[in-house]
Amino acid sequence: MHVYPIVAAAVWGIASGLLLPRAAHRLAVPSGEPWAAGCRAGHPLPAGPRGWVGPAHCAGCEGPGRVSAAGLVPAVLGGALCAGIAAVAGAHPELAVWLLLVPAGLALALVDLRVFRLPDVLTLPALGGTAVLLGGAALLPSHDGSWTRALLGGAALGVLYMVLFLINPAGMGFGDVKLAPTLGLALGWYGWTAVVRGTLAAFLLGAVVGVALLATGRAHRKTPIPFGPFMLAGAAVALLLT
């Protein structure tokens, strides 16, 4: 694959990463509460799209226009992920689906890390959009995957997480169950090996971080740890290794 599409993907990842912190901030509220109406400093955000895109702070905050170091993390991760996935996936139509999933996944990870939930307003459109867009990609002659296998992968991962939720509701959130089919779709597109690899990577990453937190005294056995970011990271690892 030529370098220009990879650079374009990186630019897309950086740009979308810079624009999503405000949406993540507004969605990071406990279940049942309305979305946040103001910025982190409490200033009211404008109506319409401007109230949802951009940094978590608004122009009325001290130092308007400045981007905090924390605000740069989604941009850096988005740029690196999009560039890496573009380099691996190549110039195939499904690449557009992955590039759309990256900012959605970053937003979900930010919300889950802050309030331990994966909002339906992100998980459900991601599921429907991924299924439909991959179906469209499968109609193009240059696609490099299987839509049927993607659907089966989504169903299999959804069932797996539903079983885990029913066995131990305290250890697995229902938002994780809703996110699982989307990741199964993406991984199943490339094969069952990718599904298994992404699932194992998620649990391995979660276990490593959990043990590290316990060892450093930053958590105890009953400290809740959001699992959505590990699911997303595991899926990203599997996609980058395809």
Side-chain angles (χ1 to χ4, degrees):
M1 186 177 184
H2 295 294
V3 69
Y4 298 112
I6 298 175
V7 172
V11 170
W12 159 257
I14 293 171
S16 59
L18 289 172
L19 293 177
L20 66 82
R22 182 170 296 180
H25 161 70
R26 296 193 65 177
L27 294 172
V29 295
S31 180
E33 292 189 9
W35 297 329
C39 71
R40 287 184 178 176
H43 302 127
L45 292 169
R50 290 181 57 241
W52 288 93
V53 296
H57 292 289
C58 68
C61 298
E62 184 179 355
R66 296 182 181 178
V67 179
S68 66
L72 288 175
V73 172
V76 173
L77 286 176
L81 282 172
C82 287
I85 291 173
V88 171
H92 299 286
E94 61 270 15
L95 174 60
V97 185
W98 313 149
L99 295 182
L100 290 173
L101 280 177
V102 167
L106 288 173
L108 283 166
L110 288 174
V111 174
D112 203 16
L113 286 169
R114 293 173 186 170
V115 293
F116 300 95
R117 65 180 297 235
L118 297 166
D120 291 349
V121 72
L122 291 178
T123 55
L124 299 184
L127 174 57
T130 301
V132 171
L133 291 175
L134 285 180
L139 298 176
L140 301 175
S142 58
H143 74 274
D144 186 25
S146 168
W147 188 51
T148 301
R149 189 175 56 222
L151 294 176
L152 293 174
L157 210 56
V159 169
L160 171 64
Y161 275 83
M162 176 60 79
V163 171
L164 294 175
F165 172 75
L166 294 175
I167 292 174
N168 184 20
M172 180 72 62
F174 198 57
D176 300 329
V177 177
K178 297 176 186 177
L179 174 61
T182 301
L183 303 182
L185 282 165
L187 298 174
W189 177 263
Y190 288 118
W192 291 107
T193 299
V195 175
V196 174
R197 182 182 293 153
T199 304
L200 293 178
F203 285 98
L204 178 61
L205 289 170
V208 169
V209 172
V211 169
L213 292 174
L214 288 171
T216 56
R218 299 179 64 183
H220 52 79
R221 290 182 61 186
K222 294 187 177 181
T223 299
I225 298 176
F227 194 59
F230 299 114
M231 295 172 63
L232 293 160
V237 168
L239 286 177
L240 290 171
L241 292 177
T242 55

